Amino acid sequence: MDVMNFQALVEPDRVHKTVYTDQAIFDAEMEKIWERTWVYCGHESQVKAPGDYHAVTIGRQPMVMVRQAGGSVQVLYNRCPHRGVQLVGNQCGNTGSSFVCSYHAWSFWLDGSVRAIPLAKGYEGTRMTRDNPDCSMKRAARVDSYRGFVFASLHADVPPLAEFLGEARIAFDDMCDRSPVGEVEVVPICHRVIQHSNWKFFMENQLDALHPSVTHQSTGISAGRVEKRLKAEQGSAPLYYHYLSTFASSFEQWDNVQTLNFPRGHGILKAYMGLRPQDPDTKAYEALLVQAYGVEKTEEFLSRSIHHVLVYPYLSVQSPLQQLRCLRPMGPDKTLSEIWHFRLKGAPEAIYRRSLWYYNLVNSPATMINADDLENWTKGQWGLQSKGGDWVSFHRDYGRDTQDGSTLQSTRGTSEVVMRNQFQAWLQYMQA
Ligand code: FES
Ligand SMILES: [Fe+2]
């Protein structure tokens, strides 16, 4: 098998295992996908004041997102033009009015342009003078944001960000519309998990409605038992039991949860949790939304059927609970995920606590749910590295996909249309 013959690796109903295991394919993915299209950097609220920065990896490139003196956000290569030393060593911080290199103290304004070269005598007559662009930090070719979420592209020739996001823009609209002022703010705590498996396991799993009632059975059933007992004893159980117990829903229930599959590999798993409680906190919160947007708009915002939205190939956004997970692949069998959550600006504290509960109970490294998934993916990676077979099967409901405009759907929530759609996008990137 020629691993660079991408067409031969991706058949409509199955893919060759090397797309998960091969170093040369991974390198090609970094070059042809991550370093050629829009990649999520972070939220504007991570860099509030001028000089605030956040280090971020785009593909294999160390970058730094930084707030400018004039208020905009710039994304620069984290590299000194002198001899290449990285300019910021911390994950985040404030660099003041300029970046200063720790090696020979060249300094740069927040937009990357050179500020000062100490001991300037010695450079006269050489080509390394201040007016040479090689003297400044290099910028990402494109930077843009959508409702406060910042993306950068290392390649200039990309569609506008809104076009790249397409239908997946709803991830950010849905998150922000739930705030009475239409904005969210990052909670500056990020869980970081390294999974010992290929990034595709994560992206496929997010919309894989076939796995929860198996993989998360023990957690879901246990939580369901406690939830039931509390309801019997006290009349109600805290919402966070429901977060866990729904994982053990029946296959019939999962089949009724549709996935919507969009161009470029993006997608939505529709809502299955029914998160419209009628407690006093929720009522007070909904009253604030009605005040801000009126009854009709509020109803439209709160009744959207969304569980996760995927921005392929690196984001999973759970907008109704303000969660965002971002992948930073490190190797064919190693993937870093950054797990963030957000506050709805102007919403009561009790509403934020729900988001925090979900963050800790379902998405954090400490939860059983995340651990269940991680174990499957590690074992999946091991299996695919073996000589026990060459192909990965995506046959469930193959041949029964329906096209509605540009959206690909299936009759069943547990259909593997999700993976088939993601690999069509993968192939397009890899062959471009
Ligand atoms: S490497 Fe940065 S100043 Fe020399
Ligand atoms: Fe899962």
Side-chain angles (χ1 to χ4, degrees):
M1 178 66 73
D2 171 11
V3 296
M4 289 298 139
N5 182 354
F6 304 119
Q7 184 81 55
L9 301 175
V10 177
E11 296 187 3
D13 57 346
R14 62 178 193 173
V15 300
H16 197 263
K17 65 179 183 181
T18 47
V19 301
Y20 297 81
T21 58
D22 189 85
Q23 183 68 46
I25 291 182
F26 177 82
D27 293 341
E29 287 174 339
M30 292 302 100
E31 207 168 293
K32 291 168 180 283
I33 309 178
W34 264 267
E35 292 166 16
R36 270 200 86 94
T37 193
W38 290 104
V39 170
Y40 179 66
C41 295
H43 190 261
E44 283 175 1
S45 58
Q46 283 170 243
V47 287
K48 278 189 185 145
D52 281 358
Y53 68 84
H54 211 96
V56 59
T57 305
I58 297 184
R60 297 159 297 187
Q61 308 305 316
M63 309 297 292
V64 56
M65 171 172 82
V66 57
R67 177 73 69 172
Q68 303 295 291
S72 63
V73 174
Q74 188 57 267
V75 178
L76 310 167
Y77 282 80
N78 184 10
R79 178 195 187 275
C80 177
H82 180 213
R83 286 207 239 140
V85 168
Q86 294 202 347
L87 283 158
V88 301
N90 289 342
Q91 189 74 51
C92 57
N94 184 290
T95 189
S97 59
S98 55
F99 295 104
V100 182
C101 183
S102 62
Y103 203 4
H104 315 96
W106 286 29
S107 60
F108 307 89
W109 297 110
L110 298 177
D111 66 358
S113 57
V114 64
R115 178 179 188 170
I117 300 176
L119 307 170
K121 248 171 102 182
Y123 289 95
E124 333 83 298
T126 77
R127 65 173 123 182
M128 212 51 176
T129 50
R130 295 172 53 89
D131 50 349
N132 181 346
D134 285 353
C135 262
S136 292
M137 292 167 75
K138 194 173 157 189
R139 294 181 197 165
R142 305 274 294 273
V143 180
D144 201 355
S145 68
Y146 187 78
R147 299 204 69 166
F149 295 83
V150 180
F151 292 74
S153 169
L154 303 185
H155 207 263
D157 185 19
V158 283
L161 175 62
E163 188 185 321
F164 162 78
L165 292 172
E167 301 282 341
R169 273 178 309 199
I170 195 71
F172 310 107
D173 288 332
D174 188 48
M175 207 194 280
C176 297
D177 289 345
R178 287 167 184 270
S179 144
V181 296
E183 284 175 37
V184 296
E185 184 172 26
V186 77
V187 179
I189 302 163
C190 173
H191 289 311
R192 289 189 170 78
V193 173
I194 289 179
Q195 66 184 68
H196 295 278
S197 50
N198 191 268
W199 59 271
K200 297 178 200 75
F201 278 106
F202 179 101
M203 292 308 281
E204 290 163 13
N205 188 80
Q206 291 305 297
L207 303 196
D208 180 337
L210 188 58
H211 88 282
S213 50
V214 180
T215 299
H216 306 301
Q217 187 187 47
S218 57
T219 311
I221 287 181
S222 313
R225 280 199 197 118
V226 182
E227 185 183 27
K228 212 167 144 192
R229 198 188 70 222
L230 289 176
K231 277 184 180 162
E233 287 170 7
Q234 309 169 1
S236 67
L239 188 62
Y240 43 80
Y241 283 99
H242 184 62
Y243 292 163
L244 295 174
S245 62
T246 46
F247 280 94
S249 302
S250 68
F251 283 114
E252 289 69 33
Q253 286 167 305
W254 286 111
D255 268 337
N256 289 327
V257 182
Q258 273 305 332
T259 62
L260 302 177
N261 302 281
F262 305 127
R264 300 182 207 275
H266 308 327
I268 290 179
L269 176 65
K270 289 194 172 187
Y272 62 85
M273 283 189 168
L275 287 177
R276 292 289 296 271
Q278 283 305 304
D279 57 283
D281 290 328
T282 307
K283 284 186 177 156
Y285 161 61
E286 291 193 4
L288 286 175
L289 291 183
V290 169
Q291 229 172 47
Y293 303 115
V295 177
E296 211 174 298
K297 274 275 165 209
T298 299
E299 200 44 44
E300 179 198 321
F301 293 163
L302 294 179
S303 59
R304 285 181 180 131
S305 180
I306 293 176
H307 183 70
H308 292 297
V309 183
L310 292 194
V311 177
Y312 189 80
Y314 48 74
L315 273 193
S316 169
V317 183
Q318 199 168 2
S319 45
L321 286 160
Q322 299 86 52
Q323 317 279 315
L324 178 147
R325 284 176 280 175
C326 180
L327 300 184
R328 311 280 178 198
M330 302 168 79
D333 59 355
K334 202 171 176 187
T335 309
L336 171 71
S337 61
E338 296 173 355
I339 310 165
W340 295 96
H341 73 301
F342 295 81
R343 264 177 201 275
L344 298 172
K345 273 195 183 172
E349 182 68 12
I351 301 303
Y352 165 65
R353 305 301 293 184
R354 286 177 192 169
S355 164
L356 180 62
W357 270 110
Y358 198 89
Y359 184 65
N360 285 328
L361 271 180
V362 179
N363 287 341
S364 89
T367 153
M368 312 261 258
I369 298 289
N370 197 348
D372 289 337
D373 287 324
L374 286 162
E375 191 194 346
N376 275 344
W377 307 338
T378 304
K379 292 191 297 189
Q381 190 73 27
W382 289 343
L384 296 185
Q385 284 164 2
S386 80
K387 291 183 178 168
D390 287 337
W391 296 93
V392 178
S393 154
F394 298 131
H395 292 90
R396 189 168 172 77
D397 285 316
Y398 175 62
R400 288 187 280 275
D401 301 344
T402 55
Q403 190 87 38
D404 179 7
S406 61
T407 305
L408 199 60
Q409 275 177 277
S410 176
T411 45
R412 256 199 284 248
T414 60
S415 165
E416 283 164 344
V417 59
V418 171
M419 298 79 193
R420 294 191 288 270
N421 186 58
Q422 290 185 3
F423 270 103
Q424 283 316 306
W426 186 87
L427 198 54
Q428 272 172 15
Y429 275 116
M430 298 301 276
Q431 289 184 315

